[in-house]
Amino acid sequence: MTGEKLAGAIVVTVSKKKPLTANLQLLHTFYEFRGRGVASLLCEYGLQYAFENKAEYFRVSSELDAVPF
């Protein structure tokens, strides 16, 4: 890939113990891409990943300034 920039990243894991729980480990949008819906698209992907892996719960924690998102 030439000339393309990374807009953001997400890491979601699913526990091996029941009840299966998905954990949002990382969600980041690079500054120049903020406000363009990148994080929302990444979250949709993360939720789909959790669903496909049979997670019953999705755990999220955040820094205080990210709570409104």
Side-chain angles (χ1 to χ4, degrees):
M1 292 188 228
T2 304
E4 295 183 29
K5 291 184 177 182
L6 184 63
I10 189 169
V11 175
V12 176
T13 60
V14 178
S15 66
K16 294 180 180 176
K17 293 182 181 180
K18 291 193 177 196
L20 298 181
T21 303
N23 294 285
L24 178 61
Q25 302 287 344
L26 170 86
L27 176 63
H28 182 76
T29 303
F30 292 98
Y31 185 78
E32 68 182 279
F33 294 98
R34 292 186 181 165
R36 299 184 188 182
V38 172
S40 294
L41 287 172
L42 290 170
C43 284
E44 287 178 27
Y45 173 83
L47 287 170
Q48 183 63 34
Y49 176 83
F51 178 76
E52 289 171 0
N53 286 276
K54 312 286 191 247
E56 296 178 47
Y57 299 95
F58 196 98
R59 186 181 338 213
V60 177
S61 62
S62 76
E63 296 177 6
L64 286 177
D65 61 342
V67 169
F69 175 78

